[in-house]
Amino acid sequence: MNSSPHLHSTKEKLEAFQRLLQTMDELREQCPWDKKQTMETLRPLTIEETFELADSIMGGNAEEIKKELGDVLLHIVFYARIASEEGKYDIADVCHALVDKLVKRHPHIYGDVKVETEEQVKSNWEQIKQQEGQKSVLAGVPRSLPSMVKAMRLQEKAQGIGFDWPDRSGAYAKTLEEFHELEEQVQAANDPQALEEEFGDLMFSLINYARFLGINPDNALERTNRKFLDRFNYLEERATSNGEKLQEMTLEQMDAYWDEAKEKGIGKG
């Protein structure tokens, strides 16, 4: 029996998008809450929805991801509707501008440029952005991005124009160098600001090394966060079931429950 989900035709997809646009128009015209919203009031909600989408992706639940994708899509349509009321642009302009940009930045698909690797695609992308008038290779990385994600994006953009180690051995050596410099500051124990700076350098180099290993450091850390949370929850539950209070337990007693959690595979995604 085929349990695959129904894949909609292009016509059905267009009809679904038209239904969304019509519903957005109705809500904007009739709902008191929707009528009051501006781009500024929606902004924090959009940020929240984006993080909820990221959480659902890490969770791997297809239904949850679908729901959160819908919430993000609603916001995009909402912003375009507000802009249309102000006579600036509408959702058609947004779509056309996006497609025009994609076509221009993929000359290996829509032009005569030849590429063989992902790195060449990225390099071409950055060169085209420079031709479009972007003042800096690193422009376009939002200052408000979480620090770890920002570090990854800065490194990827620098890689796009060849500012990168030739292989992972260079990134690995740099990580060791930064670790030793941090330890020197720890031993000196006289300059908190320098200590923080060296710690930041170490984190930046670790993120760079992760990139060479093909690991997304933000995803890796989030998986570790979730593993820690699951195992600590197990520790708390075991202590409670045995009438123990964490504040009164020794580290060795807590470690015993922690090891139980590891043996049971708790936290392993």
Side-chain angles (χ1 to χ4, degrees):
M1 179 177 179
N2 187 358
S3 59
S4 300
H6 170 64
L7 298 180
H8 296 88
S9 66
T10 300
K11 179 175 181 292
E12 290 172 323
K13 293 173 186 176
L14 292 174
E15 289 173 348
F17 192 63
Q18 183 179 22
R19 182 182 176 212
L20 171 60
L21 295 179
Q22 181 177 342
T23 302
M24 181 73 258
D25 289 342
E26 293 169 351
L27 293 176
R28 184 65 173 171
E29 294 164 5
Q30 301 174 35
C31 174
W33 185 87
D34 289 282
K35 289 167 69 173
K36 287 180 59 178
Q37 301 314 303
T38 65
M39 289 195 178
E40 289 74 19
T41 62
L42 286 176
R43 178 181 175 275
L45 301 178
T46 305
I47 294 172
E48 180 180 342
E49 294 294 356
T50 303
F51 276 104
E52 289 182 1
L53 172 60
D55 281 346
S56 66
I57 290 173
M58 290 298 293
N61 185 305
E63 283 300 312
E64 282 298 311
I65 295 173
K66 180 177 71 174
K67 180 176 76 70
E68 298 301 341
L69 282 171
D71 290 343
V72 172
L73 179 57
L74 171 63
H75 279 237
I76 294 171
V77 170
F78 209 149
Y79 286 121
R81 164 69 198 223
I82 293 172
S84 70
E85 295 169 1
E86 298 170 351
K88 296 177 179 177
Y89 52 83
D90 61 20
I91 193 65
D93 297 307
V94 173
C95 292
H96 286 308
L98 172 59
V99 174
D100 289 345
K101 179 172 68 174
L102 291 174
V103 169
K104 185 174 183 180
R105 294 186 183 178
H106 288 78
H108 53 289
I109 303 296
Y110 301 103
D112 55 5
V113 174
K114 304 296 182 182
V115 298
E116 296 180 359
T117 66
E118 175 188 358
E119 287 71 25
Q120 290 175 321
V121 173
K122 289 181 178 179
S123 179
N124 286 342
W125 182 283
E126 295 301 333
Q127 291 176 25
I128 292 170
K129 290 174 72 174
Q130 290 289 299
Q131 295 168 5
E132 292 173 349
Q134 182 173 284
K135 295 181 179 179
S136 169
V137 171
L138 303 181
V141 179
R143 291 181 178 272
S144 58
L145 271 182
S147 298
M148 184 173 293
V149 178
K150 185 190 299 183
M152 188 76 169
R153 294 295 295 127
L154 291 173
Q155 293 169 7
E156 289 173 343
K157 284 183 172 292
Q159 177 197 31
I161 53 90
F163 188 73
D164 201 9
W165 299 105
D167 54 52
R168 70 181 179 89
S169 63
Y172 178 69
K174 183 62 176 176
T175 300
L176 293 181
E177 176 189 325
E178 295 295 352
F179 183 82
H180 290 309
E181 290 182 5
L182 172 64
E183 187 59 22
E184 288 174 2
Q185 281 298 328
V186 171
Q187 296 299 327
N190 60 3
D191 191 340
Q193 185 173 347
L195 186 63
E196 182 182 85
E197 180 178 339
E198 293 299 342
F199 190 81
D201 289 347
L202 175 59
M203 291 186 68
F204 195 84
S205 64
L206 277 170
I207 292 168
N208 199 34
Y209 187 51
R211 186 168 55 84
F212 276 91
L213 297 178
I215 296 170
N216 183 302
D218 191 65
N219 287 351
L221 181 58
E222 179 57 21
R223 292 188 191 284
T224 297
N225 288 340
R226 292 178 179 228
K227 178 170 61 178
F228 181 89
L229 179 62
D230 290 343
R231 290 179 179 174
F232 197 85
N233 285 342
Y234 176 86
L235 186 162
E236 290 179 310
E237 291 168 2
R238 288 284 283 120
T240 299
S241 66
N242 288 333
E244 299 168 306
K245 294 182 179 180
L246 295 184
Q247 297 86 340
E248 299 173 358
M249 296 173 64
T250 65
L251 178 59
E252 289 72 20
Q253 289 172 317
M254 288 189 282
D255 272 342
Y257 290 145
W258 186 271
D259 289 340
E260 279 184 25
K262 290 175 64 176
E263 291 171 5
K264 290 177 178 290
I266 294 173
K268 289 288 187 181

